Amino acid sequence: MKLQRKNMLRASALGALVVSGALVLTACGSDDNTKTADGTAKPAAAAGDITCGDAKGKLLASGSSAQKNAVELWIKNYMAACPGVEVNYKSSSSGEGVVAFNQGTVGFAGSDSALKPEQVEESKKVCTGGQGIDLPMVGGPIALGFNVAGVDKLNLDAATVANIFNDKIKKWDDEAIKKLNPGVTLPSTAIQAFHRSDDSGTTENLTKYLKATAGDAWPYDAAKKWAAPGGQAASGSSSVAAQVKQVDGAIGYFELSFAGSQSIKTVDLNTGAATPVKATGENASKAIAAAKISGTGNDLSLKLDYTTKAEGAYPLVLVTYEVVCDKGNKAETLPTVKSFLTYAASDAGQKVLSENGYAPIPAEINSKVRDIVKNLG
């Protein structure tokens, strides 16, 4: 009995060392993953619901930087339970992830927007006898992080956000911002608006929100590529957050966990509800719960309602999809893809999200995700 316990401890220690090395290799940036979205220390996540099965070797994946912190926690738990498996996730952007997937260089890709018809068609060259599908796995708020000396709380509405990022509002003491923040002393500091330089699903979801809610203040189509003039650009959510953290007068957009890990204050959104809504995983869940499945067959792409005025619902949200082949996955990586995504979609995997500033996928939709993952071929 003592010998068995020693062997278990030794295996656990070796698993932890493998995890540590893999995360160093795969991290794009040096975000602090030891804090929750509100800046407090993260509880240790339970690794339950992990079945390694026939998983083995190395699995490469890449894409959305919005889900970076969630995926790294999943990888840490998964590799501790399956020490013979290495999972590497390269955090880049949704656009780069989809390109890598359709080139056949990754087992799955993370994307904050669903595949477009031409991308699905292209995927058929890689997914022999099948095609790429979207599986919603991570939900969460897109936080508007700000750094304005002397200002700890800030309310904005969609039109004002649009005018800030469209280079129409240039000072923090602009009358439009003052009107939304009675009693707050706003400085005349110049606004430094940061946006993504790379093709980004986070950008696409932000611009979908602005297109749906800001009226004439946002004249651009929703897209992964930033279209508005002015502002400053940075690559990836972690870089945008780092710039906001460093620059007085800055505002930028990124997934909430980046705000928590760097102690960046976030905007409360005036949606038309009785009170402005904070960017929290719980409030994002209220908005995502109203999403409808718009995909067909095994594709579970969602239609989000950015215009909700429900009390406590934070409408500036994104859902990150894991893009996989429904059929035609590579035989050498298929068992690991299924094993890893089964854990991500499990109750334990989704609990990791709620503990770290993300929003779990609604149970009814998540149940469908698990059924599809089970039958990937």
Side-chain angles (χ1 to χ4, degrees):
M1 197 72 179
K2 289 182 179 178
L3 179 60
Q4 183 181 18
R5 186 179 178 188
K6 286 181 180 178
N7 288 337
M8 289 174 65
L9 289 171
R10 187 179 300 114
S12 177
L14 287 171
L17 286 172
V18 172
V19 170
S20 176
L23 292 183
V24 170
L25 288 172
T26 58
C28 258
S30 56
D31 305 304
D32 181 0
N33 249 351
T34 65
K35 296 180 180 179
T36 62
D38 63 6
T40 58
K42 289 179 179 177
D49 289 4
I50 298 176
T51 303
C52 305
D54 295 327
K56 61 183 178 180
K58 181 183 291 187
L59 173 63
L60 301 178
S62 69
S64 163
S65 64
Q67 70 167 2
K68 173 181 184 289
N69 293 338
V71 174
E72 286 188 354
L73 287 166
W74 283 338
I75 289 173
K76 180 179 179 180
N77 291 343
Y78 181 79
M79 289 175 57
C82 305
V85 185
E86 182 180 346
V87 182
N88 288 338
Y89 182 77
K90 179 184 177 184
S91 168
S92 51
S93 69
S94 297
E96 291 177 37
V98 172
V99 168
F101 177 77
N102 279 341
Q103 289 176 341
T105 60
V106 295
F108 70 89
S111 178
D112 305 324
S113 54
L115 294 170
K116 292 180 168 49
E118 60 271 21
Q119 293 171 327
V120 173
E121 193 60 34
E122 188 179 355
S123 74
K124 293 178 181 178
K125 299 174 186 176
V126 175
C127 305
T128 308
Q131 65 181 44
I133 56 172
D134 303 288
L135 299 179
M137 203 71 76
V138 180
I142 300 174
L144 296 167
F146 69 95
N147 178 7
V148 183
V151 179
D152 294 322
K153 182 175 173 57
L154 188 67
N155 299 327
L156 296 175
D157 60 15
T160 307
V161 172
N163 282 324
I164 287 172
F165 282 101
N166 195 22
D167 206 30
K168 299 294 185 184
I169 294 178
K170 300 178 183 292
K171 300 280 188 179
W172 280 109
D173 62 352
D174 187 276
E175 287 302 321
I177 302 177
K178 281 184 174 180
K179 186 176 179 180
L180 292 165
N181 295 275
V184 176
T185 301
L186 294 162
S188 60
T189 308
I191 293 175
Q192 307 286 338
F194 287 89
H195 60 264
R196 291 281 290 273
S197 61
D198 46 340
D199 285 2
S200 160
T202 310
T203 295
E204 184 169 17
N205 282 277
L206 170 67
T207 54
K208 280 181 179 178
Y209 165 75
L210 294 176
K211 188 70 175 176
T213 58
D216 294 340
W218 193 256
Y220 314 101
D221 290 333
K224 290 181 180 179
K225 191 73 174 175
W226 188 258
Q232 301 179 58
S235 178
S237 291
S238 58
S239 295
V240 174
Q243 291 298 315
V244 172
K245 176 73 172 178
Q246 294 167 13
V247 178
D248 184 28
I251 186 171
Y253 58 93
F254 32 81
E255 186 276 326
L256 182 62
S257 69
F258 291 97
S261 65
Q262 300 196 43
S263 301
I264 297 171
K265 296 181 285 290
T266 61
V267 169
D268 294 352
L269 281 180
N270 186 330
T271 63
T275 56
V277 186
K278 293 185 178 301
T280 68
E282 181 182 359
N283 290 345
S285 289
K286 293 176 184 177
I288 293 172
K292 305 295 183 186
I293 295 175
S294 58
T296 57
N298 287 329
D299 188 276
L300 297 181
S301 52
L302 303 177
K303 182 176 178 58
L304 299 169
D305 180 11
Y306 298 101
T307 64
T308 180
K309 294 179 175 59
E311 295 299 326
Y314 185 85
L316 179 47
V317 295
L318 60 75
V319 169
T320 300
Y321 303 95
E322 310 313 334
V323 178
V324 295
C325 296
D326 58 353
K327 302 294 179 186
N329 289 277
K330 293 179 181 177
E332 62 269 28
T333 56
L334 176 59
T336 309
V337 168
K338 293 176 71 169
S339 173
F340 180 74
L341 293 184
T342 294
Y343 164 57
S346 71
D347 290 341
Q350 291 292 297
K351 185 181 179 185
V352 167
L353 302 184
S354 60
E355 289 174 345
N356 293 284
Y358 292 92
I361 299 302
E364 182 181 352
I365 296 171
N366 196 44
S367 175
K368 295 183 186 340
V369 171
R370 289 198 288 257
D371 287 342
I372 291 171
V373 169
K374 186 188 307 180
N375 292 300
L376 294 177

